[in-house]
Amino acid sequence: MKARIFLTAAAYLLTCTILMVLPVKKAMAGQWIRMNQLGYLPSSSKVAVLMSNEKISVDSFSIIDAYSGKTVYKSAPGDIRATGSLQNMDATFRLNFSALETEGAYRMEVNTSEGTRVTSDLFPISSHAYDGSADFVLNYMRQQRCGWNPFFRDSCHTKDAIIVYHPTKSGQHLDVRGGWHDASDCLQYTTTTANAIYQMMYAYESNPGSFTDFYKADGTPGSNGIPDIVDEIYWGLDWLDRMNPEKGELYNQLADDRDHVGMRVPSDDQADYGWGKGMERPVYFCTGEPQQRGKFMNETTGIASTAGKFASDFAYGARILEPFYPEFSKKIAAKAADAFQVGLDNPGVCQTVSVVSPYIYEEGNWTDDMELGAMELFRSTGNRMYRSMAIHYGRQEQTTPWMGADTARHYQWYPFMNMGHVLLAKEQGAVGGEFVSFLREGIRKTYERGKDSPFLNGIPSIWCSNNLTTAMLTQCILYRQITGDKTYEEMEGALRDWLLGCNPWGISMIVELPKGGNFPRQPHSYIINYSMGNTTGGLVDGPVYDTIFGGLIGISTEGGTNYEEFQPGRMVYHDSTHDYSTNEPTMDGTASLTFPLSAYQKEGAQWRDSSIGSDKNVYYQGGIVQTDPSKKRISLVFTAADKCDGADSILSTLSEYGIKGSFFFTGEFFEKFPEVVQRIVKEGHYLGSHSYGHLLYAPWEDRNTLLVTKEEFQQDILKSYNLLQRAGVSPQKARYFMPPYEYYNSVISSWAKDMGLQIVNYTSGTYTNGDYTTPDMSSYYSSDFIMEKVLEFESTRENGLNGNIMLIHLGTEDSRTDKFYRRLPELITLLRGKGYEFVSLEEAVEG
């Protein structure tokens, strides 16, 4: 349940420049361009929104290539749509540039009738725009784990739980450790957990190539041969299995709102449920009858809403987990039909419980859960009786009732989209067509409600509106994929872009996505309160109606970024740790992002006609530091700033051995040694940037801070790539960028991605990058020492030198007479003898 916790920690004011206003004559300060901060796929809908706090008219807009400065797209009739005023904004416009499909880095320039020019920040159009984004949101799922928590590396709630409301077992202990905390409190619900698990399972089954394996089953860094999303699916299903210990015995909730006693780290829980602080918590048996809601009772009428979720997750989960956990898979498969029978025997909704406050999950529908449960049982067993029941249940609620509505109670219509409809819509024939029409009608209703909005957003601003946005986005993607109908593609794009910054506030609703953009700095979370970082990857609630915000208990925006100028009227959003209504991340909303983000990653791969297998590259701070560790491949990379004494030796060796290397130079090198540059291009090696001015991006003592601004970074990169283009290498051919000093952080990686670039760096541990050291240095590495370290690395690491990005400097100080590059023939011969293949960095990264 959403936390209601009062904070006293001081907050800091977020300042983030969303755009620049570059005048032809002095531009009004009150003009803003809102865009998707992550970027756009080449074939996707692309619409920016211009807002002005004074009345203006837009004559035209252009898209400018960031590297060449040339105009690559000019607005055509129909690309500009005036969308009226929006509270403090006297004019808004939708600016459609979907026709531009060429990959690159761009900026938008908008010309107004009043003679001003408004210029956006740089943005990418890239088939790689969504790479890694679905995996990224799993960071928040790991943060939310109950039991052993990999984020704070400690355990919590190890005594869970004491049974309540059971006719014969109340007061007994039941082991229900595990699962995820629901939001920034420590409550746990079958309702939201089951939906989170289902959404992740569907994402993985649909788009397996979008997920990688960089974490172990316990959530700590490493690899266990299982995709990280499957690790999370198993973590959730293990808890769900515990919540159904015996046939017919289902539990709906662990803990209640007595949890809300202040912000604290979960391992130091101060909540007392009558058994002492930090001791056992209650677990609520599904009785099918009303249970406590503050001073009143909830409106439970049955168990089917919960039973259907158990059934669908167990049936589906058994299939997903069978290759990884075959025994557990058999266990939950055997439970699916029994759980479904509980729903048949107890039709109706099973709502959650509160003790102190009136806030609960007021689920008001259940046929959708039974429909999905029946369809998953049909998919598992082939028994057409289940299919018939799914159709029966599906026809009872043709569209999820919030779609097109102005309001709803908290989680009244949940899950927020009907995945049972999706499964039936995929069938051939009349039934498939019927359920396609149900999906289309829900989309149409939402479209009609928002068609006049500058952000094309028809989502009601109720609590957790971003979860509804994600659900409708998912429904739009699936409808488009099933039917090929692109009628609502612009609406799909608007929903996607809303979550990623194209909204009135100009903020990505996903924490740290992108890291170099504008995102919530002060989510409602103990992680902020205890200065432990941020709720990385978490989807915050999103805007609510001002009437909802004004009626909540114990809420404020003190110390936050309140966006007064941009509040669009009926709805509000605040980046404040005190605002639990708009700025608290939710576990289920975050899990639901895995499908749309993974789908877009897959579509990007399909657009460039590449393999859609999983990205096997290893990343650090957003940069690739190792290619596929399963392949005996090594990539040789060379950097230089102002020295090239090894150029002839290195290039001759590469030619002799038939190896393509990758070279990264600073602006000074390009200007001093053009003949070396031309030889590299002529001989077919990769040529990329090492920056122009060899800037130090971050202090050596604190990698997480910055010594350069975004504008300084961008200008330096543009100067560097201007030299590359003079050498005959386009930005599209030099997508991989090695940062100066081989030193960067995740913000720099994000800024690079804005410019269509991917940071690469050497694989640490071989010491080849230390070949620049001189004898007078305390940390001098001789060539013999480096060679020994390479061989030691190869013999002691689990995967040896597989995927190694091996850095050697093209030139060193004269005082270093022991030049390691002279040992390159020896190194190549030795490692080839051990079975290693030398491939270009491009081939290794992309293959």
Side-chain angles (χ1 to χ4, degrees):
M1 187 62 182
K2 307 276 304 117
R4 282 106 197 147
I5 299 173
F6 304 98
L7 304 182
T8 58
Y12 58 89
L13 183 64
L14 165 66
T15 57
C16 183
T17 303
I18 304 304
L19 55 90
M20 301 173 291
V21 178
L22 303 181
V24 174
K25 68 180 187 181
K26 186 175 181 180
M28 294 177 288
Q31 295 171 354
W32 297 266
I33 297 174
R34 301 306 196 200
M35 284 186 158
N36 179 329
Q37 295 181 39
L38 199 59
Y40 303 89
L41 293 176
S43 58
S44 72
S45 170
K46 308 172 195 72
V47 181
V49 175
L50 174 66
M51 308 189 307
S52 174
N53 59 12
E54 295 187 23
K55 287 189 178 299
I56 61 170
S57 298
V58 172
D59 287 340
S60 64
F61 70 84
S62 301
I63 305 297
I64 312 299
D65 184 282
Y67 292 102
S68 69
K70 296 179 179 178
T71 297
V72 296
Y73 184 79
K74 290 184 178 180
S75 57
D79 286 347
I80 301 169
R81 181 162 73 91
T83 45
S85 62
L86 187 71
Q87 193 66 5
N88 294 327
M89 300 298 149
D90 289 332
T92 63
F93 302 85
R94 288 183 63 78
L95 311 174
N96 193 324
F97 56 105
S98 301
L100 177 61
E101 297 190 348
T102 304
E103 293 189 274
Y106 304 100
R107 67 177 186 272
M108 172 180 280
E109 289 185 354
V110 181
N111 298 304
T112 73
S113 300
E114 291 70 24
T116 59
R117 178 180 297 160
V118 189
T119 303
S120 75
D121 203 350
L122 297 184
F123 64 90
I125 296 176
S126 172
S127 59
H128 295 278
Y130 291 85
D131 287 6
S133 57
D135 259 344
F136 180 79
V137 300
L138 297 179
N139 282 294
Y140 184 68
M141 301 303 291
R142 288 186 286 270
Q143 281 188 1
Q144 291 299 102
R145 285 192 182 190
C146 186
W148 165 254
N149 185 292
F151 179 71
F152 53 84
R153 292 181 178 266
D154 200 355
S155 295
C156 64
H157 304 115
T158 59
K159 300 181 184 298
D160 287 340
I162 300 297
I163 296 171
V164 295
Y165 276 100
H166 194 284
T168 62
K169 294 185 177 181
S170 289
Q172 295 181 21
H173 183 269
L174 177 65
D175 183 358
V176 286
R177 292 170 296 168
W180 303 285
H181 300 139
D182 199 53
S184 292
D185 51 16
C186 296
L187 279 68
Q188 296 173 246
Y189 300 93
T190 296
T191 301
T192 51
T193 296
N195 184 50
I197 295 167
Y198 192 93
Q199 292 292 328
M200 289 192 291
M201 291 192 293
Y202 194 83
Y204 174 68
E205 183 184 50
S206 301
N207 311 304
S210 298
F211 298 98
T212 57
D213 174 26
F214 294 133
Y215 290 86
K216 302 174 185 176
D218 67 358
T220 56
S223 175
N224 63 343
I226 299 174
D228 297 332
I229 193 169
V230 177
D231 288 331
E232 290 307 308
I233 290 166
Y234 175 67
W235 185 266
L237 282 170
D238 178 69
W239 183 77
L240 209 62
D241 173 55
R242 294 167 187 254
M243 295 287 278
N244 176 206
E246 302 289 344
K247 182 177 180 179
E249 187 177 344
L250 306 181
Y251 292 86
N252 198 48
Q253 177 176 334
L254 174 57
D256 57 51
D257 61 342
R258 285 172 287 181
D259 168 274
H260 299 156
V261 292
M263 283 290 187
R264 75 281 187 192
V265 177
S267 57
D268 185 31
D269 198 347
Q270 298 297 302
D272 187 343
Y273 293 90
W275 302 292
K277 289 183 178 180
M279 301 299 286
E280 293 88 346
R281 303 188 297 172
V283 59
Y284 287 84
F285 175 67
C286 297
T287 62
E289 298 176 351
Q291 297 177 356
Q292 188 171 0
R293 181 181 184 179
K295 297 178 181 180
F296 308 99
M297 301 293 280
N298 67 24
E299 297 181 4
T300 291
T301 60
I303 307 177
S305 61
T306 296
K309 293 182 178 72
F310 271 108
S312 58
D313 272 20
F314 285 158
Y316 196 7
R319 303 197 304 274
I320 294 291
L321 294 184
E322 197 278 330
F324 308 103
Y325 300 98
E327 293 305 313
F328 181 76
S329 171
K330 291 176 184 177
K331 181 183 180 183
I332 61 173
K335 289 186 172 186
D338 289 339
F340 188 76
Q341 186 62 48
V342 173
L344 290 176
D345 295 340
N346 298 272
V349 295
C350 186
Q351 295 187 348
T352 64
V353 172
S354 63
V355 173
V356 179
S357 71
Y359 303 127
I360 63 167
Y361 288 146
E362 301 181 62
E363 193 165 3
N365 56 344
W366 58 273
T367 56
D368 56 336
D369 299 301
M370 293 295 286
E371 176 188 356
L372 184 57
M375 275 305 293
E376 289 301 347
L377 282 164
F378 168 62
R379 292 214 294 167
S380 290
T381 67
N383 186 336
R384 296 184 68 82
M385 174 191 70
Y386 288 119
R387 177 180 176 275
S388 296
M389 285 194 283
I391 295 169
H392 166 73
Y393 283 124
R395 286 170 174 162
Q396 293 184 46
E397 186 178 277
Q398 297 183 6
T399 62
T400 305
W402 71 262
M403 296 177 183
D406 190 58
T407 190
R409 296 192 302 275
H410 192 40
Y411 278 59
Q412 182 180 6
W413 312 116
Y414 191 80
F416 296 123
M417 66 159 297
N418 190 332
M419 289 300 299
H421 279 12
V422 171
L423 299 181
L424 284 164
K426 289 183 174 183
E427 292 198 352
Q428 299 296 317
V431 169
E434 179 184 6
F435 280 83
V436 161
S437 73
F438 296 166
L439 294 178
R440 183 172 57 246
E441 181 62 8
I443 296 170
R444 186 197 66 78
K445 287 180 176 180
T446 307
Y447 172 82
E448 288 296 324
R449 188 174 180 277
K451 65 182 180 181
D452 297 325
S453 160
F455 296 96
L456 202 62
N457 188 299
I459 306 298
S461 297
I462 57 177
W463 217 338
C464 299
S465 63
N466 279 342
N467 294 12
L468 275 68
T469 300
T470 303
M472 180 50 64
L473 172 60
T474 297
Q475 185 156 321
C476 286
I477 294 170
L478 289 168
Y479 172 76
R480 171 173 56 83
Q481 290 179 343
I482 293 168
T483 66
D485 180 5
K486 296 186 177 182
T487 301
Y488 298 102
E489 188 175 28
E490 185 178 346
M491 173 178 151
E492 174 193 329
L495 296 168
R496 173 198 66 217
D497 298 347
W498 175 277
L499 295 173
L500 289 163
C502 190
N503 54 53
W505 312 274
I507 190 166
S508 170
M509 298 292 178
I510 307 168
V511 176
E512 297 186 358
L513 188 68
K515 185 65 179 287
N518 185 23
F519 54 81
R521 260 54 176 198
Q522 302 180 62
H524 180 74
S525 170
Y526 73 88
I527 291 174
I528 302 299
N529 204 38
Y530 285 86
S531 301
M532 299 173 71
N534 208 336
T535 56
T536 303
L539 176 68
V540 298
D541 294 314
V544 298
Y545 291 124
D546 53 2
T547 51
I548 291 177
F549 181 80
L552 294 172
I553 301 169
I555 198 167
S556 80
T557 61
E558 178 185 351
T561 302
N562 295 329
Y563 296 103
E564 289 93 344
E565 185 170 13
F566 303 114
Q567 301 298 355
R570 292 183 65 197
M571 69 177 83
V572 294
Y573 166 79
H574 314 98
D575 183 13
S576 171
T577 196
H578 299 278
D579 183 355
Y580 59 77
S581 67
T582 74
N583 208 39
E584 181 178 359
T586 62
M587 175 274 298
D588 60 318
T590 300
S592 297
L593 287 169
T594 57
F595 174 76
L597 293 176
S598 63
Y600 288 134
Q601 178 171 336
K602 181 177 179 179
E603 289 182 5
Q606 291 171 331
W607 185 88
R608 59 182 182 270
D609 195 30
S610 72
S611 167
I612 54 175
S614 294
D615 180 1
K616 300 295 178 59
N617 299 305
V618 177
Y619 292 79
Y620 176 71
Q621 296 276 338
I624 296 172
V625 296
Q626 184 183 9
T627 62
D628 188 347
S630 70
K631 295 181 179 179
K632 295 198 74 169
R633 289 176 159 185
I634 297 171
S635 300
L636 294 175
V637 299
F638 306 89
T639 62
D642 59 354
K643 297 175 180 63
C644 74
D645 48 280
D648 183 66
S649 173
I650 289 168
L651 287 167
S652 296
T653 299
L654 295 178
S655 177
E656 178 182 351
Y657 286 87
I659 294 171
K660 297 301 181 186
S662 299
F663 296 82
F664 300 89
F665 298 146
T666 64
E668 182 179 3
F669 189 96
F670 277 100
E671 291 163 349
K672 286 180 67 173
F673 306 108
E675 69 285 352
V676 174
V677 171
Q678 287 305 314
R679 180 179 174 186
I680 288 168
V681 172
K682 183 178 180 181
E683 294 183 6
H685 300 289
Y686 178 89
L687 182 63
S689 172
H690 197 40
S691 82
Y692 179 85
H694 208 238
L695 306 177
L696 181 64
Y697 293 146
W700 294 111
E701 66 276 9
D702 186 3
R703 188 177 207 128
N704 293 320
T705 58
L706 289 168
L707 295 175
V708 296
T709 66
K710 187 173 185 179
E711 183 177 3
E712 288 169 340
F713 171 81
Q714 291 177 341
Q715 291 305 312
D716 180 81
I717 293 294
L718 290 174
K719 289 172 70 176
S720 173
Y721 275 79
N722 181 261
L723 293 175
L724 272 167
Q725 290 181 94
R726 291 185 195 176
V729 179
S730 69
Q732 290 75 22
K733 296 293 185 181
R735 198 173 79 84
Y736 301 108
F737 159 64
M738 185 165 287
Y741 302 99
E742 295 79 52
Y743 190 66
Y744 63 100
N745 59 31
S746 56
V747 174
I748 295 295
S749 293
S750 177
W751 290 350
K753 195 170 183 179
D754 287 346
M755 303 186 76
L757 307 179
Q758 171 62 57
I759 283 182
V760 293
N761 203 8
Y762 66 88
T763 307
S764 63
T766 64
Y767 286 79
T768 60
N769 60 299
D771 66 341
Y772 71 92
T773 57
T774 56
D776 60 308
M777 294 180 177
S778 59
S779 56
Y780 170 65
Y781 305 127
S782 69
S783 294
D784 283 342
F785 174 84
I786 294 171
M787 191 68 79
E788 289 172 6
K789 285 295 182 182
V790 170
L791 296 178
E792 178 184 307
F793 189 105
E794 197 281 330
S795 63
T796 59
R797 298 297 179 97
E798 180 180 357
N799 294 309
L801 290 167
N802 290 7
N804 199 279
I805 302 173
M806 194 171 289
L807 169 65
I808 298 171
H809 288 89
L810 198 70
T812 63
E813 296 286 350
D814 291 342
S815 58
R816 181 180 179 114
T817 58
D818 177 23
K819 307 287 189 178
F820 183 69
Y821 55 72
R822 293 181 184 143
R823 306 283 292 272
L824 190 55
E826 176 188 353
L827 181 69
I828 293 169
T829 301
L830 190 62
L831 295 179
R832 275 183 170 173
K834 291 179 177 290
Y836 290 96
E837 178 187 8
F838 288 85
V839 302
S840 72
L841 183 63
E842 281 184 295
E843 182 181 351
V845 167
E846 297 172 7

